[in-house]
Amino acid sequence: MPPAVSPLAVPLPSLAPLAGVRLGAAAAGIRYRGRTDLVMVELTPGTTAAGVFTRNRCPGAPVDWCRAALKGGKARGVVINAGNANVFTGRAGAEAAKASAEAAAALIGCRPREVMLASTGVIGEVLPHERLTAALPALHASLHDDAWEAAARGIMTTDTFPKGAVRRVRIGDTEVTIQGFAKGSGMIAPDMATMLCFVFTDAKLPAAVLQSLLQKGVAGSFNCTTVDSDTSTSDTVLLFATGQAKHPRVPPEGGRMLREFKAALDDLLLDLALQVVRDGEGAQKLVRIDVTGAVSSGSAKRVAMAIANSPLVKTAIAGEDANWGRIVMAVGKAGEPADRDLISVAVGGVWMARQGGVVEGYDEAPVVAHMKGREVAIEVDLGLGRGRATAWTCDLTHGYIDINGSYRS
Amino acid sequence: MPPAVSPLAVPLPSLAPLAGVRLGAAAAGIRYRGRTDLVMVELTPGTTAAGVFTRNRCPGAPVDWCRAALKGGKARGVVINAGNANVFTGRAGAEAAKASAEAAAALIGCRPREVMLASTGVIGEVLPHERLTAALPALHASLHDDAWEAAARGIMTTDTFPKGAVRRVRIGDTEVTIQGFAKGSGMIAPDMATMLCFVFTDAKLPAAVLQSLLQKGVAGSFNCTTVDSDTSTSDTVLLFATGQAKHPRVPPEGGRMLREFKAALDDLLLDLALQVVRDGEGAQKLVRIDVTGAVSSGSAKRVAMAIANSPLVKTAIAGEDANWGRIVMAVGKAGEPADRDLISVAVGGVWMARQGGVVEGYDEAPVVAHMKGREVAIEVDLGLGRGRATAWTCDLTHGYIDINGSYRS
């Protein structure tokens, strides 16, 4: 029986056609039965591409492939499969990746290095790429411009709902669209992002600009989220610009003209990252952690992530217990500059502890009510400087153990 | 209803009187009802002392107290309470610590700075030290030399069994004893050790020698164990030498004469540390992780701890799944030098993956049988150098969520 849909799920927005992108999904039988598990995207000639990948030192073969392929800054296609991550598969894994890219390139009529790959699923089993390549011709023939929901569903593994987002902004006087889809539910911790995410825009942007925008956007979104502190070997965020929108030419350095675009991209990436946290394995509550008063923003982020990754904080939240003692413990374990007697902690906007001690007579009722809700807000002020950061996580529940403690989930 | 005793529990060894140590336990009603929660130890004049404490940046008042008090290298008493950690309690916490030490010192007839303190339990509530000091006179009057089990039980919080160990060795031709007790079950991660541990010997050792021995011993024991990656604010290991044994004088630098003593102390500390892991909250399996072939021993330790702290590895073990893919993921997330295509992984002595790929046709039956047992052994060879390290952890089960997801456990 598949797990119930996350209580934190949000509906998939309507994803309309985007000029220069055709896509589709098929059931290749790579691992799952009776569902789609293979997604193909064809991009119009001239599409530029950027990517950010896991910092795990044991990345999958598709990550190796994309890192090399992205040096050209161009892409004509993407092939994504679910059910097998093609990780820790040695030479056979690299060959499976190459064969997949070659098969897609032949159908699209491009060089293999213009095809990006992403795989997610079981680690340590060679990708049965013959099944994948056997399914590609029919899939390619069926590609169309409005199969976005099918694509968002086709890349899911333990996800309980499909994840997508769209933003419309102007470059000059021309409206452009940014939209994408993502998957992820467990093995979610930054450095980087822990899941697969594919974002497309019809803007015309040099690959270097795209790469810079993506790196900054990921730093403030996927890299500020965690489900279980485990960093996947396959994390991939790809951004493609088809160049079909008729806006004024963007200079190589990007700059002011992209201010609105950058803000919308950042917002969209955060939206998708939070959808992944909302689908965190076993998640019942979405948790936002704001740290202020740190000696630097980097220090604030490390403190926020230490809180976000603490099993004791996360189980307390699952138990609807505003246990600020555990929050202080997590601050201290981060190893960052902190003075116990200056720390203040708020839950749901109520400051329970100020400058190192409990706030006598604080109003417990709104805190109790807040903890019963689906979204929990924790604020920590370190009282040392002006560094601030935000991190997002979910609670740690029996559902996480159920999902991950059963054989080969 | 208290949780059942851990299936990994080991019996408390017989702890005989040790010359120079008198101890006892009482019910002071600090938090718990109907059980002992206060332990006092009186040490003979001339006893030397050493300590190692949490690296959490928000330590409790008792840790502050001991750090300052240990500068003298001498101790005449120890007061330990369970139920309240006296952490994040500001000036009131420091005053509660001082009052406790003063009351004990008056009874013993020593300076307050010769009394060591340790508290464990709820964070953020001021220690009701009047209850503690009110109970001390009767407790002090009842101290005797064979109350070791009572002391081991009196310091328990969520522990399901008392923890003790004893070793007898020779210094010169004289037999000396090292024995101690510990508590700990959750909020267990190194840097340092996450629990309270008190070790006593009748050997006569300068405080500096004692400190050096203890630091080395903790590095190879408590600092190589983890239950949940959360580092307590109260971790304390204290070592006392009463000097009652009539062995030849030990030189200030320690040296060869202490070789046997050092080995026994290391072994005893590891024994106690593993008892804490065996009592890890919800633990059903004890897990040993050996990493070899790293570029250095420090690198090996960081990789071993990354595996030991991975929720996905720990839930896989709970599910009796020898999921070596998750082990490789955890190796990669450690950020240490690793070459995916050189890594080998064994579970229960069976090498399932070698040099970056599955071992075709390896015998699964003994692996399956091993995973069903109470003790799981994981070996990882990185194939890079000669660095090696060992870490210990337990599995992550529903029991952990039960214990920590309920209100103010």
Side-chain angles (χ1 to χ4, degrees):
Chain A
M1 196 185 73
V5 172
S6 167
L8 306 172
V10 290
L12 187 72
S14 171
L15 299 172
L18 183 83
V21 181
R22 295 164 64 240
L23 66 182
I30 289 165
R31 181 178 190 88
Y32 305 114
R33 300 282 156 213
R35 56 153 283 189
T36 56
D37 59 359
L38 180 64
V39 169
M40 186 176 187
V41 184
E42 183 171 335
L43 301 156
T44 197
T47 296
T48 53
V52 178
F53 302 93
T54 183
R55 288 193 200 134
N56 191 298
R57 297 294 185 99
C58 300
V63 170
D64 286 349
W65 176 270
C66 286
R67 281 194 171 119
L70 271 175
K71 288 182 181 148
K74 299 274 186 187
R76 290 295 312 287
V78 191
V79 176
I80 310 147
N81 75 273
N84 183 311
N86 196 14
V87 168
F88 211 55
T89 45
R91 179 189 295 264
E95 283 166 4
K98 184 160 177 277
S100 304
E102 286 174 346
L107 293 163
I108 295 169
C110 67
R111 293 183 301 126
R113 289 288 182 186
E114 292 175 304
V115 176
M116 302 299 143
L117 302 173
S119 298
T120 172
V122 166
I123 298 177
E125 295 180 13
V126 177
L127 178 67
H129 65 91
E130 323 74 37
R131 286 185 218 163
L132 188 155
T133 51
L136 277 181
L139 172 55
H140 181 255
S142 77
L143 297 184
H144 49 112
D145 62 4
D146 62 355
W148 289 82
E149 177 170 346
R153 291 188 182 278
I155 65 170
M156 289 165 59
T157 55
T158 57
D159 303 64
T160 71
F161 63 92
K163 301 167 184 69
V166 57
R167 297 290 184 277
R168 290 194 175 80
V169 288
R170 287 181 176 279
I171 297 179
D173 290 331
T174 308
E175 185 179 88
V176 303
T177 300
I178 315 172
Q179 72 185 28
F181 47 89
K183 63 90 41 189
S185 185
M187 210 181 276
I188 301 289
D191 290 335
M192 52 119 319
T194 300
M195 23 56 63
L196 305 182
C197 175
F198 308 93
V199 180
F200 306 83
T201 178
D202 53 354
K204 187 174 178 64
L205 298 171
V209 170
L210 220 51
Q211 184 67 35
S212 167
L213 288 169
L214 185 62
Q215 283 175 209
K216 287 175 190 156
V218 166
S221 58
F222 289 106
N223 280 356
C224 295
T225 62
T226 180
V227 166
D228 55 11
S229 82
D230 276 336
T231 303
S232 162
T233 50
S234 305
D235 299 336
T236 298
V237 179
L238 293 171
L239 172 60
F240 303 98
T242 66
Q244 300 299 293
K246 303 300 176 201
H247 57 75
R249 187 171 166 277
V250 172
E253 71 281 7
R256 292 176 58 88
M257 187 188 277
L258 290 182
R259 193 187 295 176
E260 198 184 330
F261 183 92
K262 179 183 184 308
L265 176 64
D266 288 349
D267 192 50
L268 175 136
L269 289 169
L270 181 58
D271 184 345
L272 288 171
L274 292 187
Q275 289 186 49
V276 170
V277 178
R278 285 176 174 276
D279 208 4
E281 288 169 342
Q284 295 290 314
K285 295 177 193 288
L286 176 68
V287 185
R288 175 183 172 130
I289 297 151
D290 285 291
V291 173
T292 55
V295 295
S296 69
S297 60
S299 180
K301 183 174 170 191
R302 286 185 286 274
V303 170
M305 291 302 295
I307 299 168
N309 277 323
S310 161
L312 287 171
V313 170
K314 290 156 69 78
T315 49
I317 292 167
E320 302 185 341
D321 172 12
N323 191 323
W324 58 269
R326 293 186 184 175
I327 296 170
V328 173
M329 173 281 299
V331 170
K333 91 178 222 203
E336 293 297 316
D339 180 335
R340 182 185 62 200
D341 298 332
L342 292 178
I343 297 173
S344 301
V345 178
V347 173
V350 177
W351 291 92
M352 304 170 71
R354 271 203 196 277
Q355 300 195 321
V358 67
V359 175
E360 291 301 335
Y362 75 86
D363 189 359
E364 266 203 82
V367 176
V368 171
H370 179 78
M371 294 302 299
K372 290 187 189 299
R374 286 291 181 198
E375 303 195 6
V376 171
I378 293 172
E379 291 163 88
V380 173
D381 188 86
L382 301 180
L384 294 176
R386 300 179 64 181
R388 58 171 58 227
T390 302
W392 286 268
T393 189
C394 57
D395 54 347
L396 174 57
T397 70
H398 285 295
Y400 185 83
I401 310 286
D402 283 335
I403 294 166
N404 290 301
S406 59
Y407 187 73
R408 284 295 151 91
S409 62
Chain B
M1 196 185 73
V5 172
S6 168
L8 307 173
V10 290
L12 188 72
S14 171
L15 298 172
L18 183 80
V21 181
R22 295 167 63 242
L23 66 181
I30 289 166
R31 180 177 189 87
Y32 304 113
R33 300 282 156 213
R35 56 153 281 188
T36 55
D37 59 357
L38 181 64
V39 169
M40 186 174 186
V41 184
E42 183 172 333
L43 300 157
T44 198
T47 297
T48 53
V52 178
F53 303 93
T54 182
R55 288 191 200 137
N56 192 299
R57 297 294 185 99
C58 299
V63 170
D64 287 350
W65 175 271
C66 287
R67 281 196 171 117
L70 271 175
K71 286 179 184 153
K74 299 272 186 190
R76 289 294 314 284
V78 192
V79 176
I80 311 146
N81 75 273
N84 184 312
N86 196 12
V87 169
F88 211 55
T89 46
R91 178 189 295 267
E95 284 166 3
K98 185 161 177 277
S100 305
E102 285 173 349
L107 293 164
I108 295 170
C110 67
R111 293 182 302 125
R113 289 289 181 184
E114 291 175 303
V115 177
M116 301 300 141
L117 302 174
S119 299
T120 172
V122 166
I123 298 177
E125 295 180 13
V126 177
L127 177 68
H129 64 91
E130 321 74 35
R131 285 187 217 162
L132 189 155
T133 49
L136 276 182
L139 173 55
H140 181 255
S142 76
L143 297 183
H144 48 112
D145 61 5
D146 63 354
W148 290 82
E149 178 170 348
R153 290 187 182 279
I155 64 170
M156 290 165 59
T157 56
T158 57
D159 302 65
T160 71
F161 64 92
K163 300 167 184 67
V166 57
R167 298 290 183 277
R168 290 194 176 82
V169 288
R170 287 181 177 278
I171 297 180
D173 289 331
T174 310
E175 184 179 87
V176 302
T177 299
I178 315 172
Q179 71 185 27
F181 48 90
K183 63 91 40 190
S185 185
M187 208 180 276
I188 302 288
D191 289 337
M192 54 113 325
T194 299
M195 24 54 63
L196 306 182
C197 176
F198 307 92
V199 180
F200 305 84
T201 178
D202 53 355
K204 186 172 178 66
L205 297 172
V209 170
L210 219 52
Q211 185 68 35
S212 167
L213 287 170
L214 185 61
Q215 283 174 210
K216 287 176 190 156
V218 166
S221 58
F222 289 106
N223 279 355
C224 294
T225 61
T226 181
V227 166
D228 55 10
S229 82
D230 275 337
T231 303
S232 162
T233 50
S234 304
D235 299 335
T236 298
V237 179
L238 293 171
L239 171 60
F240 303 98
T242 64
Q244 300 299 294
K246 304 299 176 205
H247 57 74
R249 188 168 167 278
V250 171
E253 71 280 7
R256 290 176 59 88
M257 188 188 276
L258 290 181
R259 194 187 293 175
E260 197 185 332
F261 184 92
K262 179 182 184 307
L265 177 65
D266 288 351
D267 191 51
L268 175 136
L269 290 169
L270 182 58
D271 184 346
L272 289 171
L274 292 188
Q275 290 187 47
V276 170
V277 178
R278 285 176 174 276
D279 207 5
E281 288 169 341
Q284 295 290 313
K285 294 174 193 291
L286 176 68
V287 186
R288 174 183 172 130
I289 297 152
D290 285 291
V291 173
T292 54
V295 295
S296 69
S297 60
S299 180
K301 180 172 172 193
R302 286 184 287 275
V303 170
M305 290 303 293
I307 299 169
N309 277 323
S310 161
L312 287 171
V313 170
K314 290 156 68 80
T315 49
I317 292 167
E320 303 185 340
D321 174 11
N323 192 323
W324 59 268
R326 292 186 184 175
I327 296 169
V328 173
M329 173 281 299
V331 170
K333 90 178 220 202
E336 293 297 316
D339 179 335
R340 183 186 61 200
D341 298 332
L342 292 178
I343 296 173
S344 301
V345 179
V347 172
V350 177
W351 291 90
M352 304 170 71
R354 272 203 196 278
Q355 300 196 324
V358 67
V359 175
E360 292 301 335
Y362 75 84
D363 190 0
E364 267 203 83
V367 176
V368 170
H370 180 77
M371 293 302 298
K372 289 188 190 302
R374 287 290 178 199
E375 303 196 6
V376 172
I378 294 172
E379 290 164 88
V380 172
D381 188 86
L382 300 180
L384 293 176
R386 300 179 65 179
R388 57 171 59 227
T390 302
W392 286 267
T393 189
C394 56
D395 53 347
L396 174 57
T397 70
H398 285 295
Y400 185 83
I401 310 286
D402 283 335
I403 293 166
N404 290 301
S406 60
Y407 187 76
R408 286 292 151 90
S409 61

